[in-house]
Amino acid sequence: MIHCKPKPNTYFALSLVLLILISGLIYILNEFATTRSFGLFFYLFSAPLITVVILMLLVKMMAGFKFISAGKEKIITRLPLRGQTKTYQIDEVLAWEEEKVIANKKEFKQLTVAFTDKNSFSMSNHEHQNYEEFVSYLSKKAGKKKVKSR
């Protein structure tokens, strides 16, 4: 059985960035409430911008927090933040695709798997453990359903 779970290092780093952004937002709002050493336009621009970045990062972290298991002709997806667990047979895989992008001399890979019930999930090699094993399992069991690269 292959278990793909989020990498702790990735979520630790994202949590640190989130903590820094929240600290910056608190500082800006506190500074506005007490001293107002910057112009009003700075506060009207920076506070909403930092808030939007924080919300986008939170959504990305929550959407990417999933556990995927594969083996015995099944794929099990577990989304703990939604309280949702789904089990699919391997023949319920409608299509799957692996995208590869090279940036800064590193290869980033993302796998997208679609099922017959119109659900899908994505996972990447930088955010999930056992990514390569999962791709090789899909290649063996559902190789004909792989979407051809452009």
Side-chain angles (χ1 to χ4, degrees):
M1 196 75 144
I2 300 166
H3 300 286
C4 301
K5 57 185 180 178
K7 287 184 178 178
N9 294 347
T10 302
Y11 278 86
F12 179 73
L14 288 174
S15 297
L16 281 178
V17 170
L18 192 64
L19 189 63
I20 291 168
L21 286 170
I22 290 172
S23 300
L25 181 62
I26 290 170
Y27 173 78
I28 287 173
L29 293 176
N30 183 44
E31 207 274 334
F32 175 72
T34 55
T35 59
R36 294 187 188 172
S37 58
F38 300 109
L40 181 63
F41 180 73
F42 173 78
Y43 299 109
L44 290 175
F45 180 75
S46 62
L49 179 67
I50 293 174
T51 303
V52 167
V53 171
I54 288 170
L55 290 174
M56 288 173 53
L57 187 58
L58 276 172
V59 167
K60 188 205 179 337
M61 288 174 66
M62 290 189 303
F65 195 73
K66 59 182 147 269
F67 297 87
I68 299 154
S69 301
K72 300 180 183 177
E73 303 292 321
K74 293 181 189 172
I75 296 175
I76 301 167
T77 61
R78 191 166 62 92
L79 305 167
L81 296 175
R82 287 188 195 171
Q84 186 180 34
T85 301
K86 290 194 175 191
T87 303
Y88 297 98
Q89 296 299 321
I90 199 71
D91 59 351
E92 291 182 72
V93 173
L94 186 62
W96 64 277
E97 178 182 28
E98 183 180 29
E99 297 177 55
K100 296 178 184 179
V101 175
I102 297 175
N104 292 335
K105 299 179 184 174
K106 291 184 180 180
E107 186 174 47
F108 295 92
K109 299 177 185 177
Q110 181 170 333
L111 176 73
T112 305
V113 181
F115 298 100
T116 54
D117 66 350
K118 298 182 182 173
N119 283 327
S120 66
F121 70 84
S122 295
M123 62 188 280
S124 71
N125 63 333
H126 286 277
E127 293 178 5
H128 288 86
Q129 298 173 344
N130 300 325
Y131 174 86
E132 296 296 334
E133 291 87 352
F134 187 76
V135 171
S136 65
Y137 176 80
L138 271 179
S139 296
K140 289 178 193 171
K141 300 293 182 178
K144 294 180 181 178
K145 297 181 181 182
K146 182 178 181 180
V147 176
K148 303 296 183 220
S149 299
R150 298 171 210 136

